[in-house]
Coordinates of all heavy atoms in Angstrom, one line a residue:
Y366 N -31.9 2.8 62.2 CA -31.4 1.9 61.1 C -32.6 1.3 60.3 O -32.3 0.3 59.6 CB -30.4 0.9 61.6 CG -29.3 1.6 62.3 CD1 -29.1 1.6 63.6 CD2 -28.4 2.4 61.5 CE1 -28.0 2.2 64.2 CE2 -27.3 3.1 62.1 CZ -27.1 3.0 63.4 OH -26.1 3.7 64.0
G367 N -33.8 1.7 60.5 CA -34.9 1.1 59.8 C -36.2 1.6 60.3 O -36.3 2.4 61.2
I368 N -37.2 1.1 59.6 CA -38.6 1.5 59.9 C -39.3 0.5 60.8 O -39.2 -0.7 60.5 CB -39.4 1.6 58.6 CG1 -38.8 2.8 57.7 CG2 -40.9 1.9 58.8 CD1 -39.3 2.8 56.3
A369 N -40.0 0.9 61.9 CA -40.8 0.0 62.7 C -42.1 -0.2 61.9 O -42.8 0.7 61.7 CB -41.0 0.6 64.1
A370 N -42.4 -1.5 61.6 CA -43.5 -1.8 60.7 C -44.5 -2.8 61.3 O -44.0 -3.7 62.1 CB -43.0 -2.2 59.4
M371 N -45.7 -2.6 61.0 CA -46.8 -3.5 61.5 C -47.8 -3.7 60.4 O -47.9 -2.9 59.5 CB -47.5 -2.9 62.7 CG -46.7 -2.9 64.0 SD -46.9 -1.4 64.9 CE -45.3 -0.6 64.8
Q372 N -48.5 -4.8 60.5 CA -49.5 -5.1 59.4 C -50.7 -5.9 59.9 O -50.6 -6.6 60.9 CB -48.8 -5.8 58.2 CG -48.2 -7.1 58.5 CD -49.0 -8.3 58.2 OE1 -50.1 -8.2 57.6 NE2 -48.5 -9.5 58.5
Q373 N -51.8 -5.7 59.2 CA -53.0 -6.4 59.5 C -53.6 -6.8 58.2 O -53.8 -6.0 57.3 CB -54.0 -5.4 60.3 CG -55.3 -5.9 60.6 CD -56.0 -5.0 61.6 OE1 -55.7 -4.9 62.7 NE2 -57.0 -4.2 61.1
N374 N -53.9 -8.1 58.0 CA -54.4 -8.6 56.8 C -53.6 -8.3 55.5 O -54.1 -8.2 54.4 CB -55.9 -8.1 56.5 CG -56.8 -8.4 57.6 OD1 -56.7 -9.4 58.2 ND2 -57.7 -7.5 57.8
A375 N -52.3 -8.2 55.7 CA -51.5 -7.7 54.5 C -50.2 -8.5 54.4 O -49.2 -7.9 54.1 CB -51.3 -6.2 54.6
D376 N -50.3 -9.8 54.7 CA -49.0 -10.6 54.6 C -48.2 -10.4 53.3 O -47.0 -10.2 53.4 CB -49.4 -12.1 54.8 CG -49.7 -12.4 56.2 OD1 -49.1 -11.9 57.1 OD2 -50.6 -13.3 56.5
N377 N -48.9 -10.6 52.2 CA -48.2 -10.6 50.9 C -47.5 -9.3 50.6 O -46.3 -9.2 50.3 CB -49.1 -11.0 49.8 CG -49.4 -12.5 49.9 OD1 -48.8 -13.2 50.6 ND2 -50.4 -13.0 49.2
P378 N -48.3 -8.2 50.6 CA -47.6 -6.9 50.3 C -46.5 -6.6 51.4 O -45.5 -6.0 51.0 CB -48.7 -5.9 50.3 CG -49.9 -6.5 50.9 CD -49.8 -8.0 50.7
F379 N -46.8 -7.0 52.6 CA -45.8 -6.7 53.6 C -44.5 -7.4 53.3 O -43.4 -6.9 53.4 CB -46.3 -7.2 55.0 CG -45.4 -6.6 56.1 CD1 -45.7 -5.4 56.7 CD2 -44.3 -7.4 56.6 CE1 -44.9 -4.9 57.8 CE2 -43.5 -6.9 57.6 CZ -43.8 -5.7 58.2
N380 N -44.6 -8.7 52.9 CA -43.4 -9.5 52.5 C -42.6 -8.8 51.4 O -41.4 -8.8 51.4 CB -43.7 -10.9 52.2 CG -44.1 -11.7 53.5 OD1 -43.7 -11.3 54.6 ND2 -44.9 -12.7 53.4
L381 N -43.4 -8.4 50.4 CA -42.8 -7.7 49.2 C -42.0 -6.5 49.7 O -40.8 -6.2 49.4 CB -43.8 -7.3 48.2 CG -43.3 -6.5 47.0 CD1 -42.2 -7.3 46.2 CD2 -44.5 -6.1 46.1
L382 N -42.7 -5.7 50.6 CA -42.0 -4.5 51.1 C -40.7 -4.8 51.9 O -39.7 -4.1 51.8 CB -43.0 -3.8 52.0 CG -43.0 -2.3 52.2 CD1 -43.1 -1.6 50.8 CD2 -44.1 -1.8 53.1
K383 N -40.8 -5.9 52.6 CA -39.6 -6.3 53.4 C -38.4 -6.7 52.5 O -37.3 -6.3 52.7 CB -40.0 -7.5 54.3 CG -39.1 -7.8 55.4 CD -39.8 -8.7 56.3 CE -38.9 -9.3 57.3 NZ -39.6 -10.2 58.3
I384 N -38.8 -7.5 51.4 CA -37.7 -7.9 50.5 C -37.1 -6.7 49.8 O -35.9 -6.5 49.7 CB -38.3 -8.9 49.4 CG1 -38.7 -10.2 50.1 CG2 -37.3 -9.1 48.3 CD1 -39.6 -11.1 49.2
L385 N -38.0 -5.8 49.3 CA -37.5 -4.6 48.7 C -36.7 -3.7 49.6 O -35.6 -3.1 49.2 CB -38.6 -3.8 48.1 CG -39.4 -4.4 47.0 CD1 -40.7 -3.7 46.7 CD2 -38.5 -4.5 45.7
G386 N -37.1 -3.6 50.9 CA -36.4 -2.8 51.9 C -35.0 -3.3 52.1 O -34.1 -2.5 52.2
N387 N -34.9 -4.6 52.1 CA -33.5 -5.2 52.3 C -32.7 -5.0 51.1 O -31.4 -4.7 51.2 CB -33.6 -6.7 52.6 CG -34.2 -7.0 54.0 OD1 -34.1 -6.1 54.9 ND2 -34.8 -8.1 54.2
Q388 N -33.3 -5.0 49.9 CA -32.5 -4.7 48.7 C -32.0 -3.3 48.6 O -30.8 -3.1 48.3 CB -33.4 -4.9 47.5 CG -33.4 -6.4 46.9 CD -34.4 -6.6 45.9 OE1 -34.9 -5.6 45.2 NE2 -34.8 -7.8 45.7
I389 N -32.8 -2.3 48.9 CA -32.4 -1.0 48.7 C -31.9 -0.3 50.0 O -31.6 0.9 50.0 CB -33.5 -0.1 48.0 CG1 -34.7 0.0 48.9 CG2 -33.9 -0.7 46.7 CD1 -35.7 1.0 48.3
Y390 N -32.0 -1.0 51.1 CA -31.5 -0.5 52.4 C -32.4 0.6 52.9 O -31.9 1.6 53.5 CB -30.0 -0.1 52.3 CG -29.1 -1.2 52.8 CD1 -28.9 -2.3 52.0 CD2 -28.5 -1.2 54.0 CE1 -28.1 -3.4 52.4 CE2 -27.7 -2.2 54.5 CZ -27.5 -3.3 53.6 OH -26.8 -4.4 54.1
E391 N -33.7 0.5 52.7 CA -34.6 1.3 53.5 C -35.5 0.2 54.1 O -36.5 -0.2 53.6 CB -35.5 2.2 52.6 CG -34.7 3.4 52.1 CD -35.4 4.5 51.5 OE1 -36.6 4.3 51.1 OE2 -34.9 5.6 51.3
R392 N -35.0 -0.3 55.2 CA -35.4 -1.6 55.7 C -36.6 -1.5 56.7 O -36.7 -0.4 57.4 CB -34.3 -2.3 56.5 CG -33.2 -2.7 55.5 CD -32.0 -3.3 56.2 NE -31.4 -2.2 57.0 CZ -30.2 -2.3 57.5 NH1 -29.4 -3.4 57.3 NH2 -29.6 -1.4 58.2
I393 N -37.5 -2.5 56.7 CA -38.6 -2.5 57.7 C -38.4 -3.7 58.6 O -38.0 -4.8 58.2 CB -39.9 -2.5 57.0 CG1 -40.2 -3.8 56.2 CG2 -40.1 -1.3 56.0 CD1 -41.6 -3.9 55.7
A394 N -38.7 -3.4 59.9 CA -38.6 -4.5 60.9 C -40.0 -4.7 61.4 O -40.7 -3.8 61.9 CB -37.7 -4.0 62.1
E395 N -40.5 -5.9 61.3 CA -41.9 -6.2 61.7 C -42.0 -6.4 63.2 O -41.3 -7.1 63.9 CB -42.4 -7.5 61.1 CG -43.9 -7.7 61.4 CD -44.6 -8.8 60.5 OE1 -43.9 -9.5 59.8 OE2 -45.8 -8.8 60.5
F396 N -43.0 -5.6 63.8 CA -43.3 -5.7 65.2 C -44.5 -6.6 65.3 O -45.3 -6.7 64.4 CB -43.7 -4.3 65.7 CG -42.5 -3.4 66.1 CD1 -41.3 -3.5 65.4 CD2 -42.5 -2.5 67.1 CE1 -40.2 -2.8 65.7 CE2 -41.4 -1.7 67.4 CZ -40.3 -1.8 66.7
P397 N -44.7 -7.2 66.5 CA -45.9 -8.1 66.6 C -47.2 -7.2 66.7 O -47.1 -6.1 67.1 CB -45.6 -8.8 68.0 CG -44.7 -7.9 68.7 CD -43.8 -7.3 67.7
F398 N -48.2 -7.9 66.3 CA -49.5 -7.1 66.3 C -50.6 -8.0 66.9 O -51.7 -8.2 66.4 CB -49.8 -6.8 64.8 CG -50.3 -5.4 64.6 CD1 -49.8 -4.3 65.4 CD2 -51.2 -5.0 63.6 CE1 -50.2 -3.0 65.2 CE2 -51.6 -3.7 63.4 CZ -51.1 -2.7 64.2
W399 N -50.2 -8.7 68.0 CA -51.1 -9.6 68.7 C -52.3 -9.0 69.2 O -52.3 -7.8 69.6 CB -50.3 -10.4 69.8 CG -49.1 -11.1 69.3 CD1 -49.0 -11.9 68.2 CD2 -47.8 -11.1 69.9 NE1 -47.8 -12.4 68.1 CE2 -47.0 -11.9 69.0 CE3 -47.2 -10.4 71.0 CZ2 -45.6 -12.1 69.3 CZ3 -45.9 -10.6 71.2 CH2 -45.1 -11.4 70.4
P400 N -53.5 -9.7 69.3 CA -54.7 -9.2 69.7 C -54.7 -8.6 71.2 O -55.4 -7.7 71.5 CB -55.7 -10.3 69.6 CG -55.0 -11.5 69.1 CD -53.6 -11.1 68.8
E401 N -53.7 -9.2 72.0 CA -53.6 -8.7 73.4 C -53.4 -7.2 73.4 O -53.8 -6.5 74.4 CB -52.5 -9.4 74.1 CG -52.8 -10.8 74.5 CD -52.6 -11.9 73.4 OE1 -52.4 -11.4 72.2 OE2 -52.7 -13.1 73.6
Y402 N -52.7 -6.7 72.5 CA -52.4 -5.2 72.5 C -53.6 -4.4 72.4 O -53.6 -3.2 72.8 CB -51.4 -4.9 71.4 CG -50.0 -5.5 71.5 CD1 -49.6 -6.5 70.6 CD2 -49.1 -5.1 72.5 CE1 -48.3 -7.1 70.7 CE2 -47.9 -5.7 72.7 CZ -47.5 -6.7 71.8 OH -46.2 -7.2 71.9
D403 N -54.7 -4.9 71.7 CA -55.9 -4.2 71.6 C -56.4 -3.7 72.9 O -57.0 -2.6 73.1 CB -56.9 -5.0 70.8 CG -56.6 -5.2 69.4 OD1 -56.3 -4.1 68.7 OD2 -56.5 -6.3 68.9
K404 N -56.2 -4.6 73.9 CA -56.8 -4.3 75.3 C -56.2 -3.0 75.9 O -56.8 -2.3 76.6 CB -56.5 -5.5 76.2 CG -57.2 -6.7 75.9 CD -57.3 -7.7 77.1 CE -58.1 -8.9 76.8 NZ -57.7 -9.7 75.7
L405 N -54.9 -2.7 75.5 CA -54.2 -1.6 76.0 C -54.8 -0.2 75.6 O -54.5 0.8 76.2 CB -52.7 -1.7 75.7 CG -52.0 -2.9 76.2 CD1 -50.5 -2.9 75.7 CD2 -52.1 -3.1 77.7
I406 N -55.6 -0.3 74.6 CA -56.2 1.0 74.2 C -57.7 1.1 74.4 O -58.4 1.9 73.9 CB -55.8 1.5 72.7 CG1 -56.1 0.3 71.7 CG2 -54.4 1.9 72.7 CD1 -56.1 0.8 70.3
E407 N -58.2 0.1 75.2 CA -59.6 0.2 75.6 C -59.8 1.3 76.5 O -59.0 1.6 77.4 CB -60.1 -1.1 76.2 CG -60.3 -2.2 75.2 CD -60.6 -3.6 75.8 OE1 -60.6 -3.7 77.1 OE2 -60.7 -4.6 75.0
S408 N -61.0 2.0 76.4 CA -61.2 3.1 77.3 C -62.5 2.9 78.1 O -63.4 2.2 77.7 CB -61.5 4.4 76.4 OG -62.1 5.4 77.1
D409 N -62.5 3.5 79.3 CA -63.7 3.3 80.2 C -64.9 4.2 79.7 O -66.0 3.9 79.9 CB -63.4 3.7 81.6 CG -62.4 2.8 82.2 OD1 -62.4 1.6 81.8 OD2 -61.7 3.2 83.1
V410 N -64.5 5.3 79.0 CA -65.6 6.3 78.7 C -65.8 6.5 77.2 O -66.8 7.1 76.8 CB -65.2 7.7 79.3 CG1 -65.3 7.7 80.8 CG2 -63.8 8.1 78.8
A411 N -64.9 5.9 76.4 CA -65.2 6.1 74.9 C -64.8 4.7 74.3 O -64.6 3.7 75.0 CB -64.2 7.2 74.4
D412 N -64.9 4.7 72.9 CA -64.7 3.4 72.2 C -63.2 3.0 72.4 O -62.9 1.8 72.7 CB -65.0 3.5 70.7 CG -66.5 3.8 70.5 OD1 -67.3 3.4 71.4 OD2 -66.8 4.4 69.5
I413 N -62.3 3.9 72.2 CA -60.9 3.6 72.5 C -60.2 4.9 73.0 O -60.8 5.9 73.0 CB -60.1 3.1 71.2 CG1 -60.5 4.0 70.0 CG2 -60.4 1.7 70.8 CD1 -59.7 3.7 68.7
K414 N -59.0 4.7 73.5 CA -58.2 5.9 73.9 C -56.9 6.1 73.1 O -56.5 5.1 72.4 CB -57.9 5.8 75.4 CG -57.1 4.6 75.8 CD -57.0 4.6 77.4 CE -56.3 3.3 77.8 NZ -56.3 3.1 79.3
N415 N -56.4 7.3 73.1 CA -55.3 7.6 72.2 C -53.9 7.1 72.6 O -53.0 7.3 71.9 CB -55.3 9.0 71.7 CG -54.7 10.0 72.7 OD1 -54.7 9.7 73.9 ND2 -54.1 11.1 72.2
C416 N -53.8 6.6 73.8 CA -52.5 5.9 74.1 C -52.7 4.9 75.3 O -53.6 5.0 76.1 CB -51.3 6.9 74.4 SG -51.5 8.0 75.7
G417 N -51.8 4.0 75.3 CA -51.9 2.9 76.3 C -50.9 3.1 77.4 O -50.8 4.3 77.9
I418 N -50.3 2.1 77.9 CA -49.3 2.2 79.0 C -47.9 2.5 78.4 O -47.8 2.7 77.2 CB -49.3 0.8 79.8 CG1 -49.0 -0.3 78.8 CG2 -50.6 0.7 80.5 CD1 -48.9 -1.7 79.5
A419 N -46.9 2.6 79.3 CA -45.6 2.9 78.8 C -45.0 1.9 77.9 O -44.2 2.2 77.1 CB -44.7 3.2 80.1
Q420 N -45.4 0.6 78.1 CA -44.8 -0.4 77.3 C -45.4 -0.5 75.9 O -46.6 -0.1 75.7 CB -45.1 -1.8 78.0 CG -44.4 -1.9 79.3 CD -45.0 -3.0 80.2 OE1 -46.0 -3.7 79.8 NE2 -44.4 -3.3 81.3
A421 N -44.7 -1.0 75.0 CA -45.2 -1.3 73.6 C -45.8 -0.1 72.9 O -46.8 -0.3 72.2 CB -46.1 -2.5 73.6
G422 N -45.2 1.0 73.2 CA -45.8 2.3 72.7 C -46.0 2.4 71.2 O -47.0 2.9 70.6
A423 N -45.0 1.8 70.4 CA -45.1 1.9 69.0 C -46.2 1.0 68.5 O -46.9 1.3 67.5 CB -43.8 1.4 68.3
I424 N -46.4 -0.1 69.2 CA -47.4 -1.1 68.8 C -48.9 -0.6 69.1 O -49.8 -0.7 68.3 CB -47.2 -2.5 69.4 CG1 -45.8 -3.0 69.0 CG2 -48.3 -3.5 69.0 CD1 -45.4 -4.3 69.7
T425 N -49.1 -0.1 70.3 CA -50.4 0.4 70.6 C -50.8 1.6 69.7 O -52.0 1.7 69.3 CB -50.5 0.9 72.1 OG1 -49.4 1.7 72.4 CG2 -50.6 -0.3 73.0
A426 N -49.8 2.4 69.3 CA -50.1 3.4 68.3 C -50.5 2.8 67.0 O -51.5 3.3 66.4 CB -48.8 4.3 68.1
G427 N -49.9 1.8 66.6 CA -50.2 1.1 65.3 C -51.6 0.4 65.5 O -52.4 0.5 64.5
K428 N -51.9 -0.1 66.6 CA -53.2 -0.8 66.9 C -54.3 0.3 66.8 O -55.4 0.0 66.3 CB -53.2 -1.5 68.3 CG -52.5 -2.8 68.2 CD -53.4 -3.8 67.5 CE -52.9 -5.2 67.6 NZ -53.8 -6.2 66.8
F429 N -54.0 1.4 67.3 CA -55.0 2.5 67.3 C -55.4 2.8 65.8 O -56.6 2.9 65.5 CB -54.4 3.8 67.9 CG -55.4 4.9 68.0 CD1 -56.3 5.1 69.1 CD2 -55.4 5.8 66.9 CE1 -57.1 6.2 69.1 CE2 -56.3 6.9 66.9 CZ -57.2 7.1 68.0
L430 N -54.4 2.9 65.0 CA -54.7 3.2 63.6 C -55.3 2.0 62.9 O -56.3 2.2 62.0 CB -53.3 3.5 62.8 CG -52.6 4.7 63.4 CD1 -51.3 4.9 62.7 CD2 -53.5 6.0 63.2
A431 N -54.9 0.8 63.2 CA -55.5 -0.4 62.5 C -57.0 -0.5 62.8 O -57.7 -1.0 61.9 CB -54.8 -1.6 63.1
H432 N -57.5 0.0 63.9 CA -58.9 0.1 64.2 C -59.7 0.7 63.1 O -60.8 0.3 62.7 CB -59.1 0.8 65.5 CG -60.6 1.2 65.8 ND1 -61.4 0.3 66.6 CD2 -61.3 2.2 65.4 CE1 -62.6 0.9 66.6 NE2 -62.6 2.0 65.9
F433 N -59.1 1.8 62.5 CA -59.8 2.6 61.5 C -59.7 2.0 60.1 O -60.5 2.3 59.2 CB -59.3 4.0 61.5 CG -59.6 4.7 62.8 CD1 -58.7 4.6 63.9 CD2 -60.8 5.3 63.0 CE1 -59.0 5.2 65.1 CE2 -61.1 5.9 64.3 CZ -60.2 5.8 65.3
A434 N -58.7 1.1 59.9 CA -58.5 0.4 58.6 C -59.6 -0.7 58.4 O -59.8 -1.2 57.3 CB -57.1 -0.1 58.4
K435 N -60.1 -1.1 59.6 CA -61.1 -2.2 59.6 C -60.6 -3.4 58.9 O -59.5 -3.9 59.2 CB -62.5 -1.7 59.0 CG -63.0 -0.5 59.8 CD -64.4 -0.2 59.5 CE -65.0 0.9 60.4 NZ -64.4 2.3 60.1
Q436 N -61.3 -4.0 57.8 CA -60.9 -5.2 57.2 C -59.9 -4.9 56.0 O -59.3 -5.9 55.5 CB -62.1 -6.0 56.6 CG -63.0 -6.5 57.7 CD -62.2 -7.2 58.8 OE1 -61.4 -8.1 58.6 NE2 -62.5 -6.7 60.1
T437 N -59.7 -3.7 55.7 CA -58.8 -3.4 54.6 C -57.4 -3.8 54.9 O -56.9 -3.4 56.0 CB -58.9 -1.9 54.2 OG1 -60.2 -1.5 54.0 CG2 -58.0 -1.5 53.0
P438 N -56.7 -4.5 54.0 CA -55.3 -4.8 54.3 C -54.5 -3.5 54.6 O -54.6 -2.5 53.9 CB -54.8 -5.4 53.0 CG -56.0 -6.0 52.4 CD -57.1 -5.1 52.7
Y439 N -53.7 -3.6 55.7 CA -53.2 -2.4 56.3 C -51.7 -2.6 56.7 O -51.4 -3.5 57.4 CB -54.0 -1.9 57.4 CG -53.5 -0.8 58.2 CD1 -53.2 0.5 57.7 CD2 -53.1 -1.0 59.6 CE1 -52.7 1.5 58.4 CE2 -52.5 0.0 60.3 CZ -52.3 1.3 59.7 OH -51.8 2.3 60.4
I440 N -50.9 -1.6 56.3 CA -49.5 -1.6 56.7 C -49.1 -0.3 57.4 O -49.4 0.8 56.8 CB -48.5 -1.9 55.5 CG1 -48.7 -3.3 54.9 CG2 -47.0 -1.7 55.9 CD1 -48.0 -3.6 53.7
H441 N -48.6 -0.4 58.6 CA -48.2 0.9 59.3 C -46.7 1.0 59.3 O -46.0 0.1 59.8 CB -48.8 0.8 60.7 CG -48.2 1.8 61.6 ND1 -48.2 3.2 61.4 CD2 -47.7 1.7 62.9 CE1 -47.7 3.8 62.4 NE2 -47.3 2.9 63.3
L442 N -46.2 2.1 58.9 CA -44.7 2.4 58.9 C -44.4 3.5 59.8 O -44.8 4.7 59.6 CB -44.2 2.7 57.5 CG -44.5 1.7 56.4 CD1 -44.0 2.3 55.0 CD2 -43.9 0.4 56.7
D443 N -43.8 3.2 61.0 CA -43.4 4.3 61.9 C -42.0 4.7 61.6 O -41.0 4.0 61.8 CB -43.5 3.7 63.4 CG -43.4 4.8 64.4 OD1 -42.7 5.9 64.1 OD2 -44.0 4.7 65.5
I444 N -41.9 5.9 61.0 CA -40.6 6.4 60.4 C -39.9 7.4 61.4 O -39.0 8.1 61.0 CB -40.8 7.0 59.0 CG1 -41.8 8.2 59.0 CG2 -41.2 6.0 58.0 CD1 -41.8 9.0 57.7
A445 N -40.4 7.3 62.7 CA -39.8 8.3 63.6 C -38.3 8.2 63.7 O -37.6 9.3 63.9 CB -40.4 8.1 65.0
G446 N -37.7 7.1 63.6 CA -36.2 6.9 63.7 C -35.4 7.3 62.5 O -34.2 7.5 62.6

Side-chain angles (χ1 to χ4, degrees):
Y366 302 109
I368 296 172
M371 288 142 245
Q372 59 100 3
Q373 178 170 285
N374 302 326
D376 284 324
N377 290 344
F379 193 91
N380 287 336
L381 175 61
L382 210 55
K383 196 165 168 178
I384 291 165
L385 293 169
N387 290 336
Q388 269 172 22
I389 65 172
Y390 267 72
E391 287 188 344
R392 294 172 296 197
I393 66 172
E395 185 167 14
F396 281 30
F398 227 30
W399 299 314
E401 285 81 353
Y402 295 112
D403 290 308
K404 292 200 176 57
L405 301 178
I406 51 167
E407 281 172 4
S408 162
D409 293 335
V410 291
D412 297 332
I413 48 175
K414 58 186 177 187
N415 79 331
C416 59
I418 53 176
Q420 299 162 353
I424 300 172
T425 48
K428 278 289 186 183
F429 181 91
L430 297 176
H432 168 94
F433 296 89
K435 302 193 173 72
Q436 294 313 307
T437 306
Y439 171 64
I440 295 173
H441 166 53
L442 303 177
D443 192 331
I444 57 170

